[in-house]
Amino acid sequence: MVGAGLGVWKLTRGVRQLELHRLILALIVFSLLSMAFLAYYVSNSPKIKEAPPLPFSDCGGGMPPGVSTGAAGGGPGGQRAPLFLPPRQGRLRQVKAVDNSKTEPVVLVFVESIYSQLGQEIVAILESSRFHYRTEIAPGKGDMPTLTERNRGRYTLIIFENVLKYVNLDAWNRDLLDKYCAEYGVGVIGFFKANENSLLSAQLKGFPLFLHSHLGLRDYRINPNAPLLYITKPNQVEQGSLPGDDWTIFQSNHSTYEPVLLASTKSSEALAHFGPNHLRALHATVIQDLGLHDGIQRVLFGNNLNYWLHKLVFVDAIAYLTGKRLCLSLDRYILVDVDDIFVGKEGTRMKVSDVEALLNTQNKLKLLVPNFTFNLGFSGKFYHTGTDEEDRGDDMLLQHRMDFWWFPHMWSHMQPHLFHNVSVLAEQMRLNKVFAQEHGIPTDMGYAVAPHHSGVYPVHSQLYDAWKSVWGIRVTSTEEYPHLRPARYRHGFIHNGIQVLPRQTCGLFTHTIFYHEYPGGSKELDKSIRGGELFLTVLLNPISIFMTHLSNYGNDRLGLYTFESLVKFVQCWTNLQLQTLPPLPLAEKYFQIFPEERDPLWQNPCHDKRHKDIWSKEKTCDRLPKFLIIGPQKTGTTALHSFLSLHPAITSSFPSPNTFEEIQFFSGANYNNGIDWYMDFFPFPSNVSTDFMFEKSANYFDTEVAPKRAAALLPRAKILAVLINPSDRAYSWYQHQRAHQDPAALNNTFHAVVTAGPPSSRDLLALQRRCLKPGTYAVHLERWLQYYQPSQLAIVDGALLRSNPALVMEGIQRFLGVSPFNYTQALTYDDGKGFWCQRVEGGRAKCLGKSKGRKYPEMSPESRAFLAEYYREHNVELLRLLNRLGQPLPSWLRQELQSTSWS
């Protein structure tokens, strides 16, 4: 009985243990399934986000959201009455108005080295403002660059990266520079940045001015009485410490100095010798020298340009010291594009509340920025592809469609450069247009943006044609011309009747949707707004089109936060007049301000990875030439072209129906056709490494824009120029024009043409220019050498090419680096023509056409004598240039110099 009971007990315990094990196993399985479900839910559900950040308050000192400045006092928006020195109008009336009208509008910048950070920042601001400048390494005891030319100053402003290099110039250079500045009304800007070797206190050599360095400062203020203030609006920067403890302040009792920026010291021990109230005193960190000491006006900075307010004052200093010759107007036009409307994955799109916020912010911004309107870019295929809540957001956007401006993307948001057939591309656009018409979206704005800027630049001609045929597009924008970085180089251009404006980034991209997850932290976004990159974009560009995305207006609504904060910050600290224009009048305004940008400068797409990624795969840079024959005309370039074409590894461009063997791309209206048009003149090479393609256009040589254009597209190309006696070249051109029935050549002798004076007819003077101008060889070669290295340029002796072409061709082959070809066997002399021709079967000569090698009367002795004198100095300059380049002198040049020297 006891045994049976024990057995039952053991059986019961075993069952219970088994059940316990099963229970534990079930709990483990349940936990794992719960964790998996939770992970799936978290990863696939919208984030529970904090409330969107609030934009900056009105001029409350510019602190980040939710941070108090600790300021008391009032005025609208919490702005305080600044504490400054009383105005001294009597003294300011003594200041002479800046008059540097006898100078060229160029800034001379003395830098410590080509790599110095401050020097690069100075140059960046000048470039962003499109001001011309020249940099020089600051002289010690070296020579000062030439400051005058023909009784005009070469520079309207002098900037020293290190003001000590200015005050410590040797006596000769300092006296030379000061006399120049005083006589031509040229001002000086200088920076002093303390380092470990700087004295704590010192007098600036030659000035009644003391410097106190290695200071920590706080509570920056702007002196409203400083005469240079123009863009800068006096206000008070946020309370607190300025970055770093290497600040310098200026002290002087001389009336010539007016503080611009002032601050208090942080430490009670820093300036104890100033007296018991020194902590409450304001010390000048940027001062303006009114010129009452020595007649030269200056602005001196007690630090570099790292602090944003220094950049603002620096821009004002440039404007003031140049009499506003180097100065932008106060008008700033901004347009905010919102790309990818209806595009975006679930959880990132706009909901009804986001659209309401968009409308609310737009209405607030209209009060601050006249005509402010968000510009929405749409791809209709993705309408109603979000969550139910996001689809209702789509509907609300369309309900308020007339409150916004609209522009088309592609229907399916595809990149246009992927479409090689213009008809297929146009059909994609028609789908988007039908969607717009069905939903009442305006279709007459004349503006479009391509997804990822594809096809705008580098130009995909099919895109421009389709845009015009479907939408009637007249304006677009891109961040890619000429390159994405640096942003200050972005410019506009016009192609195929469409105006292309530069587009700016603002730090908001498709993935930047949460304030506290902003790359680098939210402080990086605030820094950009409060004096950083975004603020500088508005400061230095009269017109800014900003790229944003749909996702920037959902979630934390960073687009609304950014632009409301930016507008308020700009209006707090500057006198800039912000306004918005629709794209068409905005483009008109842009090219009124920058008419020089109407003509594009085509770059090589293969030299920029971003450009290559948005360039058609059917196109290849291998179709671009490896060398150019640039002319000049009537020197034997056609003969050289024919000789080179005999080489089995060298291929010439296809002939043009209008200009025969010449394309004339870089020198005239053909350039506006774009590089697709240009590349169509060249075949696909069979072997990229060994095939050498080239083109010959003899008017490239003396066309002013040709070297810059050629170097932009073909920076590695080699250049061949054929030179003969410029007198013979002029006479040959005259005879060429007579053969082509030019009335000016038919009705005037050659001597009358080359000696014609200003009262002569326009046609006669035009013929004279074409006779004489190309022969000033050194002038034109120097222009080409601004864009090409000397090693890329070969000067061909045209006289030797005519008499011994095989010898010349040997040298050209070595210069080009092609495999040798026997021109002695390939060429034969034709007695009838009087020059060398191609040898064909049977030893016969195949020569150039009838227009080549014409016989005409000898030039008159009086004309030759006149031209010998006319070209004497030009030939001497050519001699100096060729000697500098280490190139041999053409035989005709030696003879001409000997004969003119003898005479």
Side-chain angles (χ1 to χ4, degrees):
M1 188 72 180
V2 172
L6 182 62
V8 171
W9 177 80
K10 287 182 179 181
L11 178 63
T12 304
R13 189 178 66 169
V15 170
R16 285 177 178 174
Q17 287 179 339
L18 182 61
E19 290 177 348
L20 181 61
H21 290 161
R22 287 177 176 174
L23 179 61
I24 291 172
L25 182 62
L27 286 173
I28 292 173
V29 171
F30 177 77
S31 299
L32 290 174
L33 289 174
S34 298
M35 292 172 64
F37 177 77
L38 180 62
Y40 174 82
Y41 177 81
V42 169
S43 63
N44 288 276
S45 298
K47 294 185 179 181
I48 300 174
K49 55 187 176 66
E50 302 175 28
L54 297 176
F56 299 162
S57 60
D58 296 334
C59 300
M63 292 296 288
V67 179
S68 170
T69 65
Q79 189 171 356
R80 288 166 288 183
L83 307 174
F84 296 117
L85 304 174
R88 294 175 278 182
Q89 296 299 331
R91 175 172 60 89
L92 296 181
R93 280 197 294 270
Q94 303 173 31
V95 180
K96 291 183 179 179
V98 174
D99 179 14
N100 48 26
S101 57
K102 294 182 180 179
T103 62
E104 297 301 318
V106 179
V107 180
L108 176 59
V109 184
F110 287 109
V111 297
E112 292 285 83
S113 77
I114 58 174
Y115 306 107
S116 60
Q117 181 181 350
L118 177 55
Q120 291 178 3
E121 289 178 349
I122 292 169
V123 165
I125 290 177
L126 296 175
E127 289 180 338
S128 297
S129 305
R130 293 172 172 83
F131 298 155
H132 297 291
Y133 69 93
R134 175 181 173 182
T135 57
E136 291 278 348
I137 303 299
K141 295 183 179 179
D143 291 335
M144 181 69 62
T146 304
L147 299 174
T148 60
E149 186 176 17
R150 296 173 184 166
N151 296 320
R152 282 187 63 82
R154 299 182 68 183
Y155 307 104
T156 193
L157 177 66
I158 312 292
I159 299 177
F160 279 87
E161 177 188 357
N162 183 351
V163 73
L164 295 184
K165 290 293 179 74
Y166 170 51
V167 300
N168 292 325
L169 282 171
D170 62 78
W172 172 265
N173 280 329
R174 176 62 186 277
D175 185 57
L176 185 69
L177 183 59
D178 284 354
K179 283 183 177 178
Y180 171 77
C181 291
E183 181 178 351
Y184 288 92
V186 173
V188 176
I189 296 176
F191 296 85
F192 181 80
K193 172 71 171 176
N195 57 41
E196 63 274 10
N197 298 318
S198 302
L199 297 174
L200 294 178
S201 296
Q203 183 174 0
L204 198 62
K205 182 180 177 182
F207 294 92
L209 183 65
F210 290 85
L211 283 66
H212 305 279
S213 301
H214 295 292
L215 297 174
L217 300 178
R218 59 179 298 116
D219 306 340
Y220 227 172
R221 295 171 170 85
I222 303 168
N223 177 11
N225 302 315
L228 66 77
L229 298 183
Y230 174 57
I231 294 177
T232 308
K233 181 188 292 183
N235 203 327
Q236 187 165 353
V237 179
E238 62 265 26
Q239 298 278 354
S241 299
L242 299 183
D245 291 313
D246 53 358
W247 290 80
T248 296
I249 65 170
F250 302 96
Q251 186 186 21
S252 178
N253 291 323
H254 200 290
S255 60
T256 192
Y257 297 111
E258 180 73 26
V260 181
L261 298 180
L262 306 101
S264 305
T265 57
K266 287 193 291 189
S267 170
S268 60
E269 301 176 359
L271 292 172
H273 58 283
F274 276 10
N277 296 321
H278 66 275
L279 274 177
R280 288 194 294 270
L282 297 175
H283 308 292
T285 64
V286 178
I287 59 165
Q288 180 172 0
D289 182 345
L290 304 175
L292 303 180
H293 172 60
D294 58 4
I296 301 172
Q297 298 202 43
R298 305 174 181 87
V299 177
L300 304 180
F301 289 76
N303 210 307
N304 53 27
L305 287 173
N306 285 348
Y307 194 69
W308 71 268
L309 196 51
H310 281 201
K311 295 184 177 74
L312 184 56
V313 170
F314 178 61
V315 171
D316 276 353
I318 294 172
Y320 182 83
L321 293 177
T322 61
K324 294 189 177 175
R325 292 177 70 198
L326 299 183
C327 177
L328 299 174
S329 78
L330 293 176
D331 292 325
R332 294 293 184 275
Y333 300 89
I334 61 173
L335 177 65
V336 179
D337 285 352
V338 185
D339 291 359
D340 305 342
I341 293 295
F342 308 130
V343 182
K345 63 181 181 180
E346 292 183 1
T348 66
R349 297 157 65 108
M350 295 175 68
K351 302 171 184 174
V352 169
S353 59
D354 298 320
V355 179
E356 290 172 343
L358 184 71
L359 288 163
N360 181 47
T361 300
Q362 178 172 281
N363 290 333
K364 286 193 289 184
L365 288 176
K366 279 182 184 290
L367 300 176
L368 302 174
V369 182
N371 210 32
F372 183 90
T373 307
F374 285 109
N375 197 27
L376 310 187
F378 65 97
S379 294
K381 180 179 179 179
F382 303 99
Y383 174 65
H384 273 194
T385 56
T387 65
D388 291 343
E389 198 175 3
E390 290 169 339
D391 289 350
R392 288 193 291 272
D394 288 356
D395 292 335
M396 189 170 185
L397 277 174
L398 292 178
Q399 290 170 18
H400 293 272
R401 61 190 176 277
M402 302 313 294
D403 293 317
F404 304 110
W405 294 335
W406 294 81
F407 65 91
H409 284 317
M410 294 291 290
W411 162 253
S412 58
H413 209 65
M414 287 186 66
Q415 297 175 312
H417 78 276
L418 301 175
F419 293 85
H420 309 302
N421 186 305
V422 68
S423 300
V424 177
L425 185 58
E427 182 56 33
Q428 281 279 309
M429 294 183 182
R430 288 190 188 95
L431 291 172
N432 217 24
K433 188 171 185 179
V434 169
F435 170 84
Q437 292 168 338
E438 289 176 347
H439 291 85
I441 296 175
T443 60
D444 58 352
M445 291 294 288
Y447 176 72
V449 173
H452 308 287
H453 305 281
S454 155
V456 179
Y457 188 82
V459 165
H460 190 58
S461 57
Q462 293 93 325
L463 172 64
Y464 284 73
D465 291 340
W467 261 347
K468 291 172 70 175
S469 66
V470 176
W471 287 100
I473 296 302
R474 293 163 56 193
V475 180
T476 185
S477 63
T478 183
E479 60 184 19
E480 297 293 341
Y481 176 77
H483 301 283
L484 176 67
R485 294 281 186 253
R488 65 180 180 273
Y489 291 161
R490 293 178 198 158
H491 288 167
F493 67 96
I494 300 176
H495 178 65
N496 196 11
I498 294 179
Q499 301 170 91
V500 183
L501 300 183
R503 214 175 192 215
Q504 308 296 343
T505 55
C506 61
L508 300 180
F509 304 96
T510 53
H511 61 279
T512 47
I513 58 179
F514 294 109
Y515 181 69
H516 293 291
E517 296 179 11
Y518 189 85
S522 58
K523 64 181 184 299
E524 289 299 317
L525 176 60
D526 293 332
K527 179 181 175 182
S528 177
I529 296 168
R530 296 202 311 276
E533 184 177 352
L534 186 53
F535 170 78
L536 291 175
T537 298
V538 175
L539 174 66
L540 301 175
N541 290 280
I543 293 174
S544 298
I545 300 177
F546 289 107
M547 173 182 66
T548 65
H549 306 271
L550 169 74
S551 57
N552 304 138
Y553 297 86
N555 305 288
D556 274 0
R557 304 170 189 162
L558 292 190
L560 304 183
Y561 169 79
T562 296
F563 286 101
E564 187 174 348
S565 299
L566 175 66
V567 166
K568 289 179 177 178
F569 188 84
V570 168
Q571 294 187 338
C572 284
W573 302 108
T574 77
N575 294 310
L576 295 176
Q577 305 298 313
L578 300 178
Q579 51 193 300
T580 297
L581 287 175
L584 264 61
L586 191 66
E588 293 176 9
K589 177 69 67 175
Y590 184 90
F591 289 108
Q592 286 174 7
I593 299 172
F594 303 115
E596 70 279 3
E597 293 185 15
R598 299 175 67 88
D599 293 327
L601 185 66
W602 306 125
Q603 316 278 322
N604 190 316
C606 298
H607 295 168
D608 185 324
K609 183 182 183 304
R610 287 179 60 92
H611 290 175
K612 198 170 181 181
D613 289 344
I614 54 174
W615 201 40
S616 171
K617 302 305 180 186
E618 292 190 346
K619 301 173 185 178
T620 171
C621 297
D622 297 333
R623 293 182 72 186
L624 292 171
K626 291 185 178 179
F627 69 95
L628 304 174
I629 301 175
I630 62 172
Q633 292 165 311
K634 309 310 295 179
T635 60
T637 56
T638 303
L640 178 59
H641 174 275
S642 67
F643 296 161
L644 284 166
S645 299
L646 299 178
H647 195 295
I650 295 177
T651 305
S652 171
S653 58
F654 301 134
S656 163
N658 301 318
T659 50
F660 308 105
E661 81 273 10
E662 298 194 352
I663 304 177
Q664 298 183 4
F665 178 67
F666 299 111
S667 54
N670 288 335
Y671 189 72
N672 294 325
N673 294 328
I675 64 173
D676 289 359
W677 180 90
Y678 183 58
M679 288 193 301
D680 282 343
F681 281 93
F682 298 94
F684 287 93
S686 57
N687 188 315
V688 174
S689 59
T690 59
D691 287 3
F692 280 71
M693 292 191 293
F694 80 101
E695 65 126 328
K696 185 271 286 190
S697 294
N699 61 0
Y700 288 170
F701 181 78
D702 56 288
T703 300
E704 189 168 342
V705 296
K708 183 177 181 180
R709 289 175 171 179
L713 184 61
L714 309 171
R716 299 166 191 163
K718 293 191 174 183
I719 308 298
L720 294 170
V722 185
L723 305 185
I724 65 173
N725 188 318
S727 301
D728 294 333
R729 197 220 70 84
Y731 188 53
S732 180
W733 180 258
Y734 167 78
Q735 295 292 348
H736 174 82
Q737 292 302 97
R738 282 181 63 87
H740 285 80
Q741 304 299 306
D742 180 353
L746 293 172
N747 298 328
N748 294 277
T749 65
F750 178 62
H751 191 73
V753 170
V754 296
T755 59
S760 304
S761 70
R762 181 182 301 175
D763 291 342
L764 179 56
L765 292 176
L767 176 59
Q768 182 191 63
R769 281 193 299 272
R770 294 307 305 152
C771 286
L772 299 179
K773 177 187 169 187
T776 57
Y777 295 147
V779 172
H780 306 303
L781 289 172
E782 288 283 16
R783 189 184 302 118
W784 281 90
L785 289 168
Q786 290 177 19
Y787 299 96
Y788 285 96
Q789 294 298 317
S791 59
Q792 294 177 269
L793 174 67
I795 306 299
V796 178
D797 183 343
L800 191 58
L801 179 68
R802 187 182 183 99
S803 62
N804 192 350
L807 178 63
V808 172
M809 296 308 295
E810 284 182 18
I812 290 176
Q813 290 180 89
R814 287 194 299 272
F815 170 70
L816 295 176
V818 296
S819 56
F821 176 71
N822 192 337
Y823 278 96
T824 301
Q825 295 180 357
L827 301 177
T828 184
Y829 188 79
D830 186 282
D831 292 322
K833 278 285 191 179
F835 53 76
W836 292 80
C837 305
Q838 177 185 0
R839 186 197 303 270
V840 293
E841 290 184 20
R844 293 181 295 105
K846 181 182 178 182
C847 297
L848 298 174
K850 295 181 180 179
S851 63
K852 303 300 178 182
R854 292 190 188 94
K855 300 288 193 297
Y856 39 76
E858 289 288 326
M859 188 192 315
S860 68
E862 61 175 351
S863 295
R864 186 167 290 281
F866 174 83
L867 290 175
E869 182 60 29
Y870 178 86
Y871 284 118
R872 181 200 299 265
E873 286 303 316
H874 293 292
N875 286 338
V876 170
E877 287 299 318
L878 178 61
L879 168 68
R880 292 172 180 156
L881 174 62
L882 294 178
N883 285 336
R884 191 179 87 218
L885 298 178
Q887 298 226 17
L889 300 186
S891 55
W892 63 263
L893 180 59
R894 285 196 298 270
Q895 296 169 5
E896 189 70 10
L897 292 173
Q898 289 170 359
S899 63
T900 54
S901 175
W902 177 259
S903 62

